Amino acid sequence: MARVNPTRMELTRMKKRLSTAARGHKLLKDKQDEMARRFLYYIRRNRALRQEVEALLSGAMSAAALAGAEMGEDALAEALFLPAAAVPAQFSTENLMNLEVPSITLEGRQAGAGLPYGPAFSSEHLDRAVLGMETLMPKLLELAQCEKICDMLADEMERTRRRVNALEYVMIPDLKKTIKSITMKLEDNERGNLTRLMKVKDMMVQAARAEIGG
Amino acid sequence: MGKHEIAAVGDAASVLVFRAAGVETVFAENPAEAERAVRALAAEGCRVIFVTERLLEQLPDLAAHYRRTAYPAVIPIPGRDGPTGYGAGKIAENMEKAIGTSLLQ
């Protein structure tokens, strides 16, 4: 508990701080609730997407491995040597609970972008891997966005929880204690004053009586 | 901004398929190579970097470093030999960090 002068001015100041702290606590608590709601939505999505992507990606990769075995590693590397058309994605950010989170949108479908190599020397497994990747790409980008949002939200929620706890268990009780001690001290002074006044009055009355009587 | 906005880092057998989808691929056989590749790509302005789980799980500092900003997003992907559980573990970790317990089990 902070040591402060037990004065009325200090008391008013402390009361003001307490009401600010209480309001801040309530706001942070609301923020926490809302973040938890959104976080649950994104984490569920994240999990579903990850499971889906993991299954599909393993499929594409093993198809590519089969292709490599069939065509030879060199021929495979050669077939994929020329990069395909870049993924037409737009990267921007949006504001989520005051966090700058990524927002990735795919522009148009690259439907039938086709294979980036000639079919003559390549294996059918490779075709499957490549086409699989093409359908997988939107999901991969969505996963990236979702997972990043989850990362950022989780960090922010941890920070908010610390703040809420600091307010709830340290700052607010401390202020309440200080206010109480100042009030007690002031009341004590007041009582001291009162008895002193009564005593003085008694003495004055007695002095006056003695003067009249004598 | 560099010309590549999406990249994949990992062993050749795992990330080669990404090249077919129009993704920049960088081959890395060990964590040190992967770290160098990711940092270089991030410096170039790459937005999304997929890294194979096997490599990323040995680079906790790297993953933590790119956690705070919207971009680049460093995302673990399963390698050729299937998921190692790192990506799923990351979700549970986030859950615990945010809520205090893991609800989705």
Side-chain angles (χ1 to χ4, degrees):
Chain A
M1 190 176 76
R3 293 246 32 103
V4 288
N5 291 329
T7 58
R8 272 183 203 286
M9 217 170 94
E10 205 63 38
L11 183 65
T12 334
R13 222 168 58 86
M14 288 293 153
K15 278 188 174 160
K16 234 178 229 160
R17 276 183 64 190
L18 177 64
S19 81
T20 313
R23 204 168 60 230
H25 178 253
K26 192 189 168 303
L27 282 172
L28 280 176
K29 204 86 183 173
D30 289 351
K31 181 181 178 184
Q32 216 178 11
D33 288 350
E34 179 61 12
M35 276 202 295
R37 197 179 66 78
R38 302 215 187 176
F39 179 77
L40 281 178
Y41 166 77
Y42 281 112
I43 199 90
R44 288 213 174 93
R45 236 179 126 48
N46 186 353
R47 212 162 93 106
L49 277 168
R50 179 156 279 286
Q51 277 167 356
E52 205 176 335
V53 162
E54 276 177 358
L56 289 170
L57 200 55
S58 307
M61 279 173 180
S62 56
L66 274 177
E70 229 172 66
M71 302 159 59
E73 296 291 341
D74 292 345
L76 177 66
E78 202 176 310
L80 295 176
F81 182 71
L82 284 176
V87 185
Q90 263 310 320
F91 298 87
S92 57
T93 58
E94 60 186 17
N95 195 334
L96 177 82
M97 303 296 299
N98 232 356
L99 289 170
E100 282 274 292
V101 298
S103 157
I104 306 173
T105 44
L106 268 180
E107 279 180 339
R109 297 281 308 118
Q110 38 171 179
L115 303 168
Y117 49 83
F121 303 102
S122 52
S123 123
E124 166 213 354
H125 292 296
L126 183 61
D127 300 355
R128 231 169 335 116
V130 168
L131 293 175
M133 277 312 286
E134 238 161 66
T135 53
L136 195 53
M137 216 51 225
K139 292 215 184 309
L140 272 168
L141 288 178
E142 202 182 342
L143 173 72
Q145 175 186 338
C146 219
E147 196 149 319
K148 190 62 171 204
I149 291 177
C150 282
D151 284 356
M152 294 177 82
L153 264 182
D155 286 357
E156 181 68 13
M157 283 173 80
E158 200 185 28
R159 268 199 297 276
T160 311
R161 195 167 57 231
R162 287 225 178 100
R163 271 187 222 146
V164 168
N165 284 348
L167 279 175
E168 188 169 346
Y169 296 112
V170 183
M171 190 131 175
I172 291 179
D174 256 21
L175 281 171
K176 279 189 173 155
K177 235 160 127 192
T178 314
I179 288 174
K180 195 167 176 203
S181 87
I182 296 180
T183 325
M184 302 257 273
K185 192 87 188 163
L186 285 176
E187 279 172 2
D188 203 36
N189 284 348
E190 200 50 45
R191 272 193 298 277
N193 245 340
L194 198 66
T195 41
R196 207 171 304 128
L197 276 176
M198 284 162 76
K199 188 83 186 161
V200 170
K201 188 186 164 195
D202 276 358
M203 282 161 66
M204 284 168 77
V205 168
Q206 263 176 12
R209 271 199 191 133
E211 218 169 280
I212 294 167
Chain B
M1 198 186 306
K3 56 192 161 111
H4 306 296
E5 298 196 305
I6 311 173
V9 176
D11 58 297
S14 297
V15 296
L16 201 57
V17 276
F18 277 88
R19 182 169 289 182
V23 171
E24 166 75 359
T25 49
V26 180
F27 301 147
E29 300 299 331
N30 56 55
E33 272 176 40
E35 180 164 6
R36 223 172 309 131
V38 170
R39 286 191 191 280
L41 286 164
E44 271 174 36
C46 198
R47 302 304 193 109
V48 177
I49 306 171
F50 297 105
V51 185
T52 52
E53 286 177 342
R54 205 162 283 290
L55 291 172
L56 195 61
E57 65 192 350
Q58 293 174 62
L59 297 165
D61 292 346
L62 186 77
H65 183 251
Y66 292 112
R67 230 181 120 90
R68 291 161 174 242
T69 48
Y71 295 111
V74 177
I75 305 296
I77 48 163
R80 175 179 43 150
D81 28 47
T84 64
Y86 172 77
K90 200 181 145 199
I91 294 179
E93 217 172 89
N94 271 343
M95 193 81 190
E96 215 165 309
K97 206 172 190 184
I99 314 278
T101 109
S102 198
L103 289 178
L104 300 171
Q105 285 315 316

